[in-house]
PDB file of all heavy atoms in Angstrom:
ATOM      1  N   PRO A   7      66.922 174.981 125.008  1.00  0.00           N
ATOM      2  CA  PRO A   7      65.477 174.737 125.145  1.00  0.00           C
ATOM      3  C   PRO A   7      64.989 175.098 126.531  1.00  0.00           C
ATOM      4  O   PRO A   7      65.781 175.138 127.497  1.00  0.00           O
ATOM      5  CB  PRO A   7      65.354 173.237 124.881  1.00  0.00           C
ATOM      6  CG  PRO A   7      66.688 172.675 125.199  1.00  0.00           C
ATOM      7  CD  PRO A   7      67.681 173.750 124.886  1.00  0.00           C
ATOM      8  N   GLU A   8      63.701 175.326 126.651  1.00  0.00           N
ATOM      9  CA  GLU A   8      63.094 175.627 127.949  1.00  0.00           C
ATOM     10  C   GLU A   8      63.132 174.401 128.848  1.00  0.00           C
ATOM     11  O   GLU A   8      62.833 173.289 128.427  1.00  0.00           O
ATOM     12  CB  GLU A   8      61.650 176.057 127.736  1.00  0.00           C
ATOM     13  CG  GLU A   8      60.942 176.420 129.024  1.00  0.00           C
ATOM     14  CD  GLU A   8      59.467 176.659 128.824  1.00  0.00           C
ATOM     15  OE1 GLU A   8      59.016 176.800 127.690  1.00  0.00           O
ATOM     16  OE2 GLU A   8      58.762 176.669 129.844  1.00  0.00           O
ATOM     17  N   TYR A   9      63.559 174.569 130.066  1.00  0.00           N
ATOM     18  CA  TYR A   9      63.712 173.490 131.053  1.00  0.00           C
ATOM     19  C   TYR A   9      62.690 173.732 132.128  1.00  0.00           C
ATOM     20  O   TYR A   9      62.713 174.751 132.813  1.00  0.00           O
ATOM     21  CB  TYR A   9      65.147 173.574 131.586  1.00  0.00           C
ATOM     22  CG  TYR A   9      65.605 172.380 132.372  1.00  0.00           C
ATOM     23  CD1 TYR A   9      65.633 171.112 131.809  1.00  0.00           C
ATOM     24  CD2 TYR A   9      66.041 172.497 133.680  1.00  0.00           C
ATOM     25  CE1 TYR A   9      66.082 170.022 132.506  1.00  0.00           C
ATOM     26  CE2 TYR A   9      66.479 171.426 134.401  1.00  0.00           C
ATOM     27  CZ  TYR A   9      66.513 170.191 133.810  1.00  0.00           C
ATOM     28  OH  TYR A   9      66.963 169.101 134.520  1.00  0.00           O
ATOM     29  N   HIS A  10      61.723 172.786 132.310  1.00  0.00           N
ATOM     30  CA  HIS A  10      60.613 173.032 133.207  1.00  0.00           C
ATOM     31  C   HIS A  10      60.218 171.727 133.925  1.00  0.00           C
ATOM     32  O   HIS A  10      60.740 170.653 133.623  1.00  0.00           O
ATOM     33  CB  HIS A  10      59.402 173.557 132.411  1.00  0.00           C
ATOM     34  CG  HIS A  10      59.156 172.774 131.178  1.00  0.00           C
ATOM     35  ND1 HIS A  10      59.715 173.068 129.971  1.00  0.00           N
ATOM     36  CD2 HIS A  10      58.428 171.643 130.965  1.00  0.00           C
ATOM     37  CE1 HIS A  10      59.344 172.184 129.066  1.00  0.00           C
ATOM     38  NE2 HIS A  10      58.569 171.295 129.648  1.00  0.00           N
ATOM     39  N   THR A  11      59.262 171.790 134.828  1.00  0.00           N
ATOM     40  CA  THR A  11      58.817 170.657 135.612  1.00  0.00           C
ATOM     41  C   THR A  11      57.667 169.955 134.890  1.00  0.00           C
ATOM     42  O   THR A  11      56.728 170.563 134.444  1.00  0.00           O
ATOM     43  CB  THR A  11      58.329 171.107 137.011  1.00  0.00           C
ATOM     44  OG1 THR A  11      59.387 171.811 137.633  1.00  0.00           O
ATOM     45  CG2 THR A  11      57.940 169.914 137.839  1.00  0.00           C
ATOM     46  N   ILE A  12      57.789 168.582 134.771  1.00  0.00           N
ATOM     47  CA  ILE A  12      56.730 167.765 134.185  1.00  0.00           C
ATOM     48  C   ILE A  12      56.410 166.615 135.147  1.00  0.00           C
ATOM     49  O   ILE A  12      57.154 166.335 136.084  1.00  0.00           O
ATOM     50  CB  ILE A  12      57.110 167.178 132.804  1.00  0.00           C
ATOM     51  CG1 ILE A  12      58.272 166.210 132.935  1.00  0.00           C
ATOM     52  CG2 ILE A  12      57.359 168.276 131.809  1.00  0.00           C
ATOM     53  CD1 ILE A  12      58.489 165.352 131.696  1.00  0.00           C
ATOM     54  N   ASN A  13      55.251 165.973 134.941  1.00  0.00           N
ATOM     55  CA  ASN A  13      54.875 164.774 135.711  1.00  0.00           C
ATOM     56  C   ASN A  13      55.159 163.555 134.842  1.00  0.00           C
ATOM     57  O   ASN A  13      54.888 163.550 133.652  1.00  0.00           O
ATOM     58  CB  ASN A  13      53.384 164.815 136.062  1.00  0.00           C
ATOM     59  CG  ASN A  13      53.049 166.015 136.909  1.00  0.00           C
ATOM     60  OD1 ASN A  13      53.743 166.350 137.847  1.00  0.00           O
ATOM     61  ND2 ASN A  13      51.991 166.695 136.552  1.00  0.00           N
ATOM     62  N   VAL A  14      55.666 162.493 135.454  1.00  0.00           N
ATOM     63  CA  VAL A  14      55.918 161.246 134.762  1.00  0.00           C
ATOM     64  C   VAL A  14      55.043 160.170 135.397  1.00  0.00           C
ATOM     65  O   VAL A  14      55.088 159.976 136.615  1.00  0.00           O
ATOM     66  CB  VAL A  14      57.402 160.836 134.837  1.00  0.00           C
ATOM     67  CG1 VAL A  14      57.630 159.503 134.141  1.00  0.00           C
ATOM     68  CG2 VAL A  14      58.278 161.906 134.236  1.00  0.00           C
ATOM     69  N   LYS A  15      54.217 159.488 134.583  1.00  0.00           N
ATOM     70  CA  LYS A  15      53.343 158.432 135.076  1.00  0.00           C
ATOM     71  C   LYS A  15      53.879 157.100 134.626  1.00  0.00           C
ATOM     72  O   LYS A  15      54.004 156.822 133.451  1.00  0.00           O
ATOM     73  CB  LYS A  15      51.919 158.643 134.547  1.00  0.00           C
ATOM     74  CG  LYS A  15      50.922 157.676 135.132  1.00  0.00           C
ATOM     75  CD  LYS A  15      49.519 158.023 134.694  1.00  0.00           C
ATOM     76  CE  LYS A  15      48.523 157.059 135.334  1.00  0.00           C
ATOM     77  NZ  LYS A  15      47.150 157.386 134.933  1.00  0.00           N
ATOM     78  N   MET A  16      54.208 156.232 135.603  1.00  0.00           N
ATOM     79  CA  MET A  16      54.758 154.917 135.336  1.00  0.00           C
ATOM     80  C   MET A  16      53.648 153.949 134.921  1.00  0.00           C
ATOM     81  O   MET A  16      52.473 154.263 135.043  1.00  0.00           O
ATOM     82  CB  MET A  16      55.473 154.371 136.580  1.00  0.00           C
ATOM     83  CG  MET A  16      56.505 155.335 137.155  1.00  0.00           C
ATOM     84  SD  MET A  16      58.014 155.303 136.278  1.00  0.00           S
ATOM     85  CE  MET A  16      58.849 154.039 137.194  1.00  0.00           C
ATOM     86  N   THR A  17      54.019 152.749 134.464  1.00  0.00           N
ATOM     87  CA  THR A  17      53.040 151.761 134.012  1.00  0.00           C
ATOM     88  C   THR A  17      52.173 151.244 135.167  1.00  0.00           C
ATOM     89  O   THR A  17      51.052 150.824 134.949  1.00  0.00           O
ATOM     90  CB  THR A  17      53.720 150.571 133.338  1.00  0.00           C
ATOM     91  OG1 THR A  17      54.648 149.983 134.219  1.00  0.00           O
ATOM     92  CG2 THR A  17      54.405 150.995 132.049  1.00  0.00           C
ATOM     93  N   ASP A  18      52.687 151.267 136.390  1.00  0.00           N
ATOM     94  CA  ASP A  18      51.918 150.790 137.550  1.00  0.00           C
ATOM     95  C   ASP A  18      51.039 151.891 138.159  1.00  0.00           C
ATOM     96  O   ASP A  18      50.373 151.672 139.155  1.00  0.00           O
ATOM     97  CB  ASP A  18      52.830 150.187 138.600  1.00  0.00           C
ATOM     98  CG  ASP A  18      53.807 151.194 139.199  1.00  0.00           C
ATOM     99  OD1 ASP A  18      53.803 152.379 138.777  1.00  0.00           O
ATOM    100  OD2 ASP A  18      54.583 150.810 140.100  1.00  0.00           O
ATOM    101  N   GLY A  19      51.041 153.087 137.568  1.00  0.00           N
ATOM    102  CA  GLY A  19      50.173 154.155 138.018  1.00  0.00           C
ATOM    103  C   GLY A  19      50.847 155.172 138.917  1.00  0.00           C
ATOM    104  O   GLY A  19      50.272 156.225 139.189  1.00  0.00           O
ATOM    105  N   THR A  20      52.041 154.888 139.420  1.00  0.00           N
ATOM    106  CA  THR A  20      52.728 155.835 140.268  1.00  0.00           C
ATOM    107  C   THR A  20      53.197 157.005 139.439  1.00  0.00           C
ATOM    108  O   THR A  20      53.477 156.886 138.244  1.00  0.00           O
ATOM    109  CB  THR A  20      53.933 155.172 141.000  1.00  0.00           C
ATOM    110  OG1 THR A  20      54.835 154.675 140.003  1.00  0.00           O
ATOM    111  CG2 THR A  20      53.494 154.090 141.905  1.00  0.00           C
ATOM    112  N   GLU A  21      53.263 158.174 140.077  1.00  0.00           N
ATOM    113  CA  GLU A  21      53.684 159.394 139.399  1.00  0.00           C
ATOM    114  C   GLU A  21      54.782 160.084 140.182  1.00  0.00           C
ATOM    115  O   GLU A  21      54.848 159.956 141.405  1.00  0.00           O
ATOM    116  CB  GLU A  21      52.505 160.352 139.233  1.00  0.00           C
ATOM    117  CG  GLU A  21      51.424 159.864 138.296  1.00  0.00           C
ATOM    118  CD  GLU A  21      50.374 160.926 138.007  1.00  0.00           C
ATOM    119  OE1 GLU A  21      50.689 162.133 138.111  1.00  0.00           O
ATOM    120  OE2 GLU A  21      49.250 160.547 137.705  1.00  0.00           O
ATOM    121  N   PHE A  22      55.635 160.808 139.481  1.00  0.00           N
ATOM    122  CA  PHE A  22      56.632 161.647 140.115  1.00  0.00           C
ATOM    123  C   PHE A  22      56.895 162.854 139.233  1.00  0.00           C
ATOM    124  O   PHE A  22      56.540 162.861 138.070  1.00  0.00           O
ATOM    125  CB  PHE A  22      57.934 160.882 140.412  1.00  0.00           C
ATOM    126  CG  PHE A  22      58.676 160.420 139.191  1.00  0.00           C
ATOM    127  CD1 PHE A  22      59.675 161.191 138.640  1.00  0.00           C
ATOM    128  CD2 PHE A  22      58.383 159.197 138.621  1.00  0.00           C
ATOM    129  CE1 PHE A  22      60.361 160.761 137.506  1.00  0.00           C
ATOM    130  CE2 PHE A  22      59.072 158.753 137.490  1.00  0.00           C
ATOM    131  CZ  PHE A  22      60.061 159.546 136.940  1.00  0.00           C
TER     132      PHE A  22
END
Side-chain angles (χ1 to χ4, degrees):
E8 181 187 345
Y9 194 59
H10 48 269
T11 304
I12 64 166
N13 299 315
V14 178
K15 186 174 182 180
M16 307 281 270
T17 57
D18 63 359
T20 59
E21 292 188 27
F22 65 92

